[in-house]
Amino acid sequence: MEVTIGVQNLARELVVDTDLSAEDVAKAVSDALGGAPALELTDSRGRRVIVPTVSLGYVEIGTEEQRR
């Protein structure tokens, strides 16, 4: 699944391809906005992406369908 993260004061978006479900990503975002200091996701290669919560602009969660 592809997750696009907009970061304040940064011209480019972060795009993370993760094996998590849409519900798991939504929960991680919700937890971050609920008081956690950062949004942390792991991509499909095992790399961790950590974005401070105060810098989040938006998070776009893609569909779970694979492209043709």
Side-chain angles (χ1 to χ4, degrees):
M1 163 179 315
E2 190 173 277
V3 178
T4 305
I5 304 170
V7 180
Q8 295 178 10
N9 302 320
L10 186 62
R12 296 182 60 172
E13 303 171 324
L14 298 175
V15 179
V16 179
D17 185 29
T18 183
D19 294 331
L20 297 173
S21 68
E23 291 81 23
D24 291 339
V25 174
K27 182 172 178 353
V29 172
S30 180
D31 290 346
L33 295 175
L39 170 63
E40 183 175 337
L41 298 173
T42 303
D43 72 2
S44 57
R45 293 183 178 186
R47 297 177 292 195
R48 290 179 13 183
V49 176
I50 302 171
V51 180
T53 303
V54 296
S55 298
L56 287 177
Y58 64 90
V59 178
E60 180 180 314
I61 301 171
T63 62
E64 294 187 37
E65 297 178 6
Q66 296 293 328
R67 294 183 183 178
R68 293 181 189 196

